[in-house]
Amino acid sequence: MSGTLFPRERVVVAPGAVHVPGWLPVERRRELVEACRAWARGPVPIRRTVLPGGGVMSVQTVCVGWHWRPYRYSRTADDVNGARVAAFPDWLAELGREALVAAYGEEHGRQEYTPDTALINFYDGAARMGMHQDKEERSAAPVVSLSIGDSCVFRFGNTETRGRPYTDVELASGDLFVFGGPARFAFHGVPKVVPGTADPDAGMSSGRLNITLRETGL
């Protein structure tokens, strides 16, 4: 993993997939951490998702706007406590539109991007995320991914297989990653989290938060 002595530059990882390091200032990171902690308490609490085959994901997840379970969305968390998930706030949608401008530029960003759900994943040092596609949404609008806390290896692949070719990207606290267009349905995952690289200034003494904003089209 790289150090932080030198600024990291914006990188186009693949057509439609853009990494913007250090995009979130510390004040915004702190606000997001506080919001995520409130959502984690309910009305649908954070949990480890049970997969259809009986396996349990190592990350802990809480949802806003729509509840995600493998592999569909619903307004109520029928696999947890039956409660309706927290409402998706307007300020989070506006943050998503700002993220598109940062990734794609004013002429290609914003447009009519209207994210209506957020999946918040918490990774401890042992958590991983296997290669997968985000394809439960009816909309093909970009996915906006925000990282806070421990750094990780983010593996961004191709749209055909879980294997190569893929690119490993370091995502550190405050980083933005957007994937849309031809990269919207690329396989991606997190094979490694780096303990001890968290962000105490943002209120994260350990672990990694990943907030993904999506437009469901539902």
Side-chain angles (χ1 to χ4, degrees):
M1 309 295 274
S2 66
T4 57
L5 292 177
F6 302 101
R8 295 173 300 145
E9 301 296 327
R10 173 185 177 276
V11 176
V12 178
V13 176
V18 181
H19 176 209
V20 186
W23 182 67
L24 287 169
V26 65
E27 296 82 5
R28 181 53 64 87
R29 299 198 304 271
R30 192 179 299 119
E31 291 169 358
L32 283 167
V33 169
E34 291 174 358
C36 288
R37 285 183 173 142
W39 291 324
R41 291 191 290 269
V44 179
I46 196 167
R47 89 290 185 194
R48 297 184 191 273
T49 301
V50 179
L51 298 170
V56 180
M57 295 177 66
S58 60
V59 302
Q60 299 178 63
T61 304
V62 66
C63 304
V64 178
W66 287 88
H67 180 73
W68 177 86
R69 60 184 293 190
Y71 292 96
R72 63 187 179 87
Y73 286 105
S74 61
R75 287 295 193 186
T76 56
D78 300 328
D79 60 329
V80 184
N81 62 0
R84 188 180 177 93
V85 298
F88 188 87
D90 291 341
W91 63 263
L92 196 54
E94 180 57 29
L95 182 63
R97 288 187 281 271
E98 293 173 8
L100 282 197
V101 172
Y104 295 151
E106 191 71 50
E107 66 277 18
H108 300 293
R110 286 187 183 274
Q111 298 174 355
E112 295 183 2
Y113 187 55
T114 54
D116 59 344
T117 191
L119 271 65
I120 298 117
N121 289 324
F122 175 75
Y123 294 74
D124 61 21
R128 306 288 184 267
M129 181 73 73
M131 296 292 279
H132 65 283
Q133 294 170 298
D134 295 341
K135 59 180 182 180
E136 287 76 50
E137 301 79 24
R138 293 181 184 174
S139 170
V143 173
V144 169
S145 174
L146 305 168
S147 295
I148 306 174
D150 281 331
S151 298
C152 78
V153 175
F154 179 63
R155 181 161 291 170
F156 194 77
N158 63 85
T159 59
E160 302 299 325
T161 73
R162 287 180 171 82
R164 296 181 184 274
Y166 55 70
T167 301
D168 284 346
V169 180
E170 175 190 359
L171 294 184
S173 193
D175 284 8
L176 164 68
F177 197 98
V178 176
F179 54 102
R184 172 59 179 82
F185 298 105
F187 284 91
H188 55 283
V190 177
K192 181 180 180 181
V193 174
V194 184
T197 58
D199 188 354
D201 290 341
M204 293 285 293
S205 59
S206 64
R208 173 182 183 253
L209 277 176
N210 177 227
I211 306 159
T212 62
L213 310 184
R214 311 173 185 196
E215 189 178 293
T216 65
L218 298 172

